[in-house]
Short mmCIF file of all heavy atoms in Angstrom, two decimals:
data_model
loop_
_atom_site.label_atom_id
_atom_site.label_comp_id
_atom_site.label_asym_id
_atom_site.label_seq_id
_atom_site.Cartn_x
_atom_site.Cartn_y
_atom_site.Cartn_z
N MET B 6 -6.42 22.33 -35.65
CA MET B 6 -5.84 22.48 -34.32
C MET B 6 -6.50 21.46 -33.40
O MET B 6 -7.69 21.22 -33.50
CB MET B 6 -6.12 23.89 -33.80
CG MET B 6 -5.42 24.25 -32.51
SD MET B 6 -6.35 23.75 -31.08
CE MET B 6 -5.18 24.00 -29.78
N THR B 7 -5.72 20.87 -32.54
CA THR B 7 -6.31 19.83 -31.71
C THR B 7 -5.67 19.78 -30.33
O THR B 7 -4.53 20.18 -30.16
CB THR B 7 -6.13 18.48 -32.42
OG1 THR B 7 -6.59 17.44 -31.57
CG2 THR B 7 -4.69 18.21 -32.76
N GLU B 8 -6.45 19.32 -29.38
CA GLU B 8 -5.97 19.06 -28.03
C GLU B 8 -7.01 18.21 -27.31
O GLU B 8 -8.12 18.02 -27.82
CB GLU B 8 -5.75 20.37 -27.26
CG GLU B 8 -7.03 21.13 -26.98
CD GLU B 8 -6.82 22.36 -26.11
OE1 GLU B 8 -6.05 22.27 -25.15
OE2 GLU B 8 -7.44 23.39 -26.40
N GLU B 9 -6.66 17.71 -26.12
CA GLU B 9 -7.64 16.97 -25.33
C GLU B 9 -8.53 17.98 -24.63
O GLU B 9 -8.12 18.61 -23.65
CB GLU B 9 -6.93 16.04 -24.34
CG GLU B 9 -7.87 15.17 -23.51
CD GLU B 9 -8.78 14.24 -24.32
OE1 GLU B 9 -9.76 14.76 -24.90
OE2 GLU B 9 -8.53 13.02 -24.36
N ILE B 10 -9.71 18.21 -25.17
CA ILE B 10 -10.76 19.08 -24.62
C ILE B 10 -12.06 18.50 -25.15
O ILE B 10 -12.06 17.87 -26.22
CB ILE B 10 -10.57 20.54 -25.10
CG1 ILE B 10 -11.58 21.49 -24.46
CG2 ILE B 10 -10.65 20.68 -26.61
CD1 ILE B 10 -11.32 22.99 -24.79
N ASN B 11 -13.16 18.61 -24.41
CA ASN B 11 -14.46 18.11 -24.89
C ASN B 11 -14.43 16.61 -25.21
O ASN B 11 -15.14 16.16 -26.09
CB ASN B 11 -14.89 18.81 -26.20
CG ASN B 11 -15.00 20.29 -26.12
OD1 ASN B 11 -15.45 20.82 -25.12
ND2 ASN B 11 -14.59 20.98 -27.18
N ARG B 204 -1.94 21.28 -35.83
CA ARG B 204 -1.26 21.90 -34.68
C ARG B 204 -1.59 21.07 -33.44
O ARG B 204 -2.76 20.90 -33.08
CB ARG B 204 -1.76 23.34 -34.50
CG ARG B 204 -1.26 23.99 -33.23
CD ARG B 204 -1.76 25.42 -33.07
NE ARG B 204 -1.29 25.96 -31.82
CZ ARG B 204 -2.05 26.53 -30.89
NH1 ARG B 204 -3.35 26.68 -31.09
NH2 ARG B 204 -1.53 26.98 -29.77
N PRO B 206 0.32 19.57 -29.36
CA PRO B 206 -0.81 18.98 -28.64
C PRO B 206 -1.66 20.01 -27.89
O PRO B 206 -2.41 19.65 -27.01
CB PRO B 206 -0.11 18.05 -27.64
CG PRO B 206 1.13 18.81 -27.27
CD PRO B 206 1.54 19.56 -28.51
N GLY B 207 -1.59 21.24 -28.21
CA GLY B 207 -2.45 22.24 -27.58
C GLY B 207 -1.92 23.61 -27.93
O GLY B 207 -0.91 23.71 -28.61
N GLY B 208 -2.66 24.59 -27.50
CA GLY B 208 -3.72 24.70 -26.53
C GLY B 208 -3.24 24.47 -25.09
O GLY B 208 -2.08 24.22 -24.78
N ASN B 209 -4.21 24.67 -24.24
CA ASN B 209 -3.96 24.52 -22.80
C ASN B 209 -3.44 23.13 -22.45
O ASN B 209 -2.75 22.96 -21.44
CB ASN B 209 -5.25 24.80 -22.02
CG ASN B 209 -5.66 26.25 -22.10
OD1 ASN B 209 -4.95 27.08 -22.66
ND2 ASN B 209 -6.80 26.58 -21.55
N TYR B 210 -3.79 22.16 -23.25
CA TYR B 210 -3.37 20.77 -22.97
C TYR B 210 -1.85 20.65 -23.01
O TYR B 210 -1.27 19.81 -22.34
CB TYR B 210 -4.03 19.87 -24.01
CG TYR B 210 -3.82 18.40 -23.84
CD1 TYR B 210 -4.16 17.75 -22.66
CD2 TYR B 210 -3.32 17.64 -24.90
CE1 TYR B 210 -3.99 16.37 -22.53
CE2 TYR B 210 -3.16 16.27 -24.78
CZ TYR B 210 -3.49 15.64 -23.59
OH TYR B 210 -3.32 14.29 -23.47
N LEU B 211 -1.21 21.48 -23.81
CA LEU B 211 0.26 21.48 -23.84
C LEU B 211 0.80 21.95 -22.49
O LEU B 211 1.71 21.35 -21.92
CB LEU B 211 0.76 22.42 -24.94
CG LEU B 211 2.26 22.74 -24.91
CD1 LEU B 211 3.06 21.54 -25.41
CD2 LEU B 211 2.60 23.97 -25.73
N GLU B 212 0.21 23.03 -21.98
CA GLU B 212 0.75 23.69 -20.78
C GLU B 212 0.44 22.93 -19.49
O GLU B 212 1.26 22.92 -18.57
CB GLU B 212 0.14 25.09 -20.63
CG GLU B 212 0.35 25.99 -21.81
CD GLU B 212 -0.68 27.11 -21.80
OE1 GLU B 212 -0.43 28.11 -21.11
OE2 GLU B 212 -1.72 26.97 -22.46
N PRO B 238 -6.08 19.76 -18.38
CA PRO B 238 -6.61 20.97 -17.73
C PRO B 238 -8.11 21.15 -17.92
O PRO B 238 -8.68 22.09 -17.37
CB PRO B 238 -5.83 22.10 -18.41
CG PRO B 238 -5.33 21.54 -19.68
CD PRO B 238 -5.17 20.06 -19.49
N TRP B 239 -8.75 20.27 -18.69
CA TRP B 239 -10.17 20.45 -18.95
C TRP B 239 -11.05 19.58 -18.05
O TRP B 239 -12.17 19.25 -18.39
CB TRP B 239 -10.46 20.21 -20.44
CG TRP B 239 -9.76 21.25 -21.26
CD1 TRP B 239 -8.63 21.07 -22.01
CD2 TRP B 239 -10.10 22.63 -21.39
NE1 TRP B 239 -8.26 22.25 -22.60
CE2 TRP B 239 -9.14 23.23 -22.23
CE3 TRP B 239 -11.13 23.43 -20.86
CZ2 TRP B 239 -9.18 24.59 -22.55
CZ3 TRP B 239 -11.16 24.78 -21.20
CH2 TRP B 239 -10.21 25.34 -22.03
N LEU B 273 -0.83 26.79 -16.65
CA LEU B 273 -2.01 27.65 -16.57
C LEU B 273 -2.29 28.30 -15.22
O LEU B 273 -2.90 29.35 -15.16
CB LEU B 273 -3.24 26.83 -16.99
CG LEU B 273 -3.23 26.47 -18.46
CD1 LEU B 273 -4.14 25.29 -18.74
CD2 LEU B 273 -3.64 27.67 -19.30
N ASN B 328 2.24 28.23 -25.51
CA ASN B 328 0.86 28.52 -25.92
C ASN B 328 0.36 29.72 -25.12
O ASN B 328 0.47 29.74 -23.89
CB ASN B 328 -0.06 27.33 -25.65
CG ASN B 328 -1.52 27.64 -26.02
OD1 ASN B 328 -1.82 27.93 -27.18
ND2 ASN B 328 -2.41 27.60 -25.04
N GLU B 329 -0.17 30.70 -25.80
CA GLU B 329 -0.81 31.87 -25.16
C GLU B 329 0.01 32.40 -23.99
O GLU B 329 -0.51 32.59 -22.87
CB GLU B 329 -2.24 31.51 -24.71
CG GLU B 329 -3.16 31.21 -25.87
CD GLU B 329 -4.64 31.12 -25.51
OE1 GLU B 329 -4.95 30.90 -24.33
OE2 GLU B 329 -5.48 31.27 -26.41
N TRP B 331 0.93 35.17 -23.32
CA TRP B 331 0.59 36.51 -22.81
C TRP B 331 -0.04 36.43 -21.43
O TRP B 331 -0.11 37.41 -20.71
CB TRP B 331 -0.31 37.27 -23.80
CG TRP B 331 -1.69 36.70 -23.96
CD1 TRP B 331 -2.74 36.88 -23.12
CD2 TRP B 331 -2.17 35.89 -25.03
NE1 TRP B 331 -3.85 36.22 -23.60
CE2 TRP B 331 -3.54 35.62 -24.78
CE3 TRP B 331 -1.60 35.39 -26.21
CZ2 TRP B 331 -4.32 34.84 -25.64
CZ3 TRP B 331 -2.38 34.63 -27.05
CH2 TRP B 331 -3.72 34.35 -26.77
N PHE B 332 -0.51 35.22 -21.05
CA PHE B 332 -1.05 35.06 -19.70
C PHE B 332 0.05 35.08 -18.64
O PHE B 332 -0.23 35.23 -17.46
CB PHE B 332 -1.85 33.76 -19.58
CG PHE B 332 -3.22 33.86 -20.20
CD1 PHE B 332 -3.53 33.14 -21.35
CD2 PHE B 332 -4.18 34.68 -19.65
CE1 PHE B 332 -4.80 33.23 -21.93
CE2 PHE B 332 -5.45 34.78 -20.21
CZ PHE B 332 -5.76 34.06 -21.36
N ASP B 381 1.57 33.62 -33.50
CA ASP B 381 0.28 32.92 -33.40
C ASP B 381 -0.77 33.86 -32.79
O ASP B 381 -0.59 34.35 -31.67
CB ASP B 381 0.48 31.67 -32.52
CG ASP B 381 -0.79 30.86 -32.34
OD1 ASP B 381 -1.84 31.26 -32.88
OD2 ASP B 381 -0.74 29.83 -31.64
N HIS B 383 -4.92 34.44 -31.73
CA HIS B 383 -6.15 33.70 -31.42
C HIS B 383 -7.35 34.66 -31.41
O HIS B 383 -7.26 35.74 -30.81
CB HIS B 383 -6.03 33.04 -30.05
CG HIS B 383 -4.98 31.96 -30.00
ND1 HIS B 383 -4.69 31.25 -28.87
CD2 HIS B 383 -4.17 31.46 -30.97
CE1 HIS B 383 -3.74 30.36 -29.14
NE2 HIS B 383 -3.40 30.48 -30.41
N TYR B 385 -11.43 34.40 -30.62
CA TYR B 385 -12.75 33.82 -30.34
C TYR B 385 -13.71 34.99 -30.25
O TYR B 385 -13.70 35.74 -29.27
CB TYR B 385 -12.72 33.03 -29.03
CG TYR B 385 -11.83 31.79 -29.12
CD1 TYR B 385 -10.60 31.73 -28.47
CD2 TYR B 385 -12.23 30.69 -29.86
CE1 TYR B 385 -9.80 30.60 -28.57
CE2 TYR B 385 -11.44 29.55 -29.95
CZ TYR B 385 -10.22 29.52 -29.30
OH TYR B 385 -9.43 28.40 -29.40
N GLY B 412 -3.72 30.56 -35.07
CA GLY B 412 -3.66 29.19 -34.55
C GLY B 412 -4.89 28.73 -33.81
O GLY B 412 -5.04 27.55 -33.52
N GLU B 413 -5.79 29.68 -33.48
CA GLU B 413 -7.08 29.33 -32.86
C GLU B 413 -8.05 30.44 -33.19
O GLU B 413 -7.73 31.61 -32.98
CB GLU B 413 -6.96 29.22 -31.34
CG GLU B 413 -6.16 28.06 -30.86
CD GLU B 413 -6.10 27.98 -29.33
OE1 GLU B 413 -7.04 28.44 -28.65
OE2 GLU B 413 -5.08 27.47 -28.84
N TRP B 414 -9.22 30.06 -33.63
CA TRP B 414 -10.25 31.06 -33.85
C TRP B 414 -11.57 30.34 -34.09
O TRP B 414 -11.59 29.17 -34.51
CB TRP B 414 -9.92 31.98 -35.04
CG TRP B 414 -9.98 31.26 -36.36
CD1 TRP B 414 -8.97 30.57 -36.95
CD2 TRP B 414 -11.11 31.12 -37.22
NE1 TRP B 414 -9.39 30.01 -38.12
CE2 TRP B 414 -10.72 30.34 -38.32
CE3 TRP B 414 -12.43 31.59 -37.17
CZ2 TRP B 414 -11.58 30.00 -39.36
CZ3 TRP B 414 -13.30 31.26 -38.21
CH2 TRP B 414 -12.86 30.47 -39.29
N PRO B 424 -17.07 31.56 -25.21
CA PRO B 424 -16.98 30.10 -25.39
C PRO B 424 -16.69 29.33 -24.11
O PRO B 424 -17.07 28.18 -23.98
CB PRO B 424 -15.83 29.94 -26.37
CG PRO B 424 -15.72 31.22 -27.10
CD PRO B 424 -16.19 32.28 -26.15
N TRP B 425 -16.01 29.96 -23.16
CA TRP B 425 -15.61 29.26 -21.95
C TRP B 425 -16.63 29.45 -20.82
O TRP B 425 -16.49 28.86 -19.76
CB TRP B 425 -14.23 29.75 -21.49
CG TRP B 425 -14.13 31.25 -21.45
CD1 TRP B 425 -14.43 32.05 -20.39
CD2 TRP B 425 -13.71 32.11 -22.51
NE1 TRP B 425 -14.23 33.36 -20.73
CE2 TRP B 425 -13.78 33.44 -22.03
CE3 TRP B 425 -13.29 31.90 -23.83
CZ2 TRP B 425 -13.44 34.54 -22.82
CZ3 TRP B 425 -12.95 32.99 -24.61
CH2 TRP B 425 -13.03 34.29 -24.11
N TYR B 463 -9.20 26.53 -37.14
CA TYR B 463 -10.37 26.71 -36.26
C TYR B 463 -10.13 25.92 -34.97
O TYR B 463 -9.50 24.87 -34.98
CB TYR B 463 -11.58 26.14 -37.00
CG TYR B 463 -12.92 26.32 -36.34
CD1 TYR B 463 -13.80 27.29 -36.81
CD2 TYR B 463 -13.33 25.50 -35.30
CE1 TYR B 463 -15.06 27.44 -36.23
CE2 TYR B 463 -14.58 25.65 -34.72
CZ TYR B 463 -15.44 26.62 -35.19
OH TYR B 463 -16.68 26.76 -34.63
N ALA B 464 -10.70 26.38 -33.86
CA ALA B 464 -10.58 25.61 -32.62
C ALA B 464 -11.80 25.87 -31.74
O ALA B 464 -12.36 26.97 -31.77
CB ALA B 464 -9.31 26.00 -31.87
N PRO B 465 -12.15 24.88 -30.89
CA PRO B 465 -11.73 23.50 -30.96
C PRO B 465 -12.38 22.74 -32.12
O PRO B 465 -13.41 23.15 -32.65
CB PRO B 465 -12.18 22.89 -29.63
CG PRO B 465 -12.42 24.07 -28.72
CD PRO B 465 -12.88 25.17 -29.64
N LEU B 466 -11.75 21.62 -32.41
CA LEU B 466 -12.15 20.83 -33.57
C LEU B 466 -13.29 19.87 -33.25
O LEU B 466 -14.18 19.65 -34.07
CB LEU B 466 -10.89 20.05 -33.98
CG LEU B 466 -10.92 19.12 -35.17
CD1 LEU B 466 -11.22 19.89 -36.43
CD2 LEU B 466 -9.55 18.43 -35.31
N TRP B 477 -16.31 23.57 -23.77
CA TRP B 477 -16.13 24.76 -24.60
C TRP B 477 -17.14 24.71 -25.74
O TRP B 477 -17.46 23.63 -26.24
CB TRP B 477 -14.71 24.71 -25.18
CG TRP B 477 -14.23 25.94 -25.88
CD1 TRP B 477 -14.53 26.30 -27.17
CD2 TRP B 477 -13.35 26.94 -25.39
NE1 TRP B 477 -13.89 27.46 -27.50
CE2 TRP B 477 -13.15 27.88 -26.42
CE3 TRP B 477 -12.69 27.12 -24.18
CZ2 TRP B 477 -12.33 28.99 -26.28
CZ3 TRP B 477 -11.87 28.23 -24.04
CH2 TRP B 477 -11.70 29.15 -25.08
N PRO B 479 -18.16 27.31 -29.39
CA PRO B 479 -18.58 26.27 -30.33
C PRO B 479 -17.42 25.35 -30.72
O PRO B 479 -16.25 25.69 -30.51
CB PRO B 479 -19.02 27.09 -31.54
CG PRO B 479 -18.14 28.29 -31.51
CD PRO B 479 -17.88 28.58 -30.06
N ASP B 480 -17.77 24.22 -31.31
CA ASP B 480 -16.81 23.22 -31.75
C ASP B 480 -17.23 22.76 -33.15
O ASP B 480 -18.42 22.71 -33.45
CB ASP B 480 -16.80 22.05 -30.78
CG ASP B 480 -16.62 22.53 -29.34
OD1 ASP B 480 -15.52 22.97 -29.01
OD2 ASP B 480 -17.60 22.49 -28.56
O1 AHR P 1 -9.44 26.22 -27.80
C1 AHR P 1 -9.69 26.24 -26.43
C2 AHR P 1 -8.61 26.97 -25.64
O2 AHR P 1 -8.60 28.32 -25.97
C3 AHR P 1 -7.19 26.55 -25.88
O3 AHR P 1 -6.82 25.44 -25.15
C4 AHR P 1 -6.39 27.74 -25.45
O4 AHR P 1 -5.19 27.86 -26.15
C5 AHR P 1 -7.34 28.89 -25.72
O5 AHR P 1 -7.42 29.74 -24.65
#
Side-chain angles (χ1 to χ4, degrees):
M6 188 273 170
T7 175
E8 66 174 319
E9 183 59 284
I10 185 174
N11 302 321
R204 172 179 178 233
N209 292 355
Y210 185 56
L211 169 75
E212 302 160 84
W239 295 105
L273 291 160
N328 178 61
E329 294 192 339
W331 68 80
F332 283 112
D381 180 0
H383 294 179
Y385 294 107
E413 291 181 28
W414 68 273
W425 49 89
Y463 185 104
L466 181 62
W477 190 280
D480 308 289

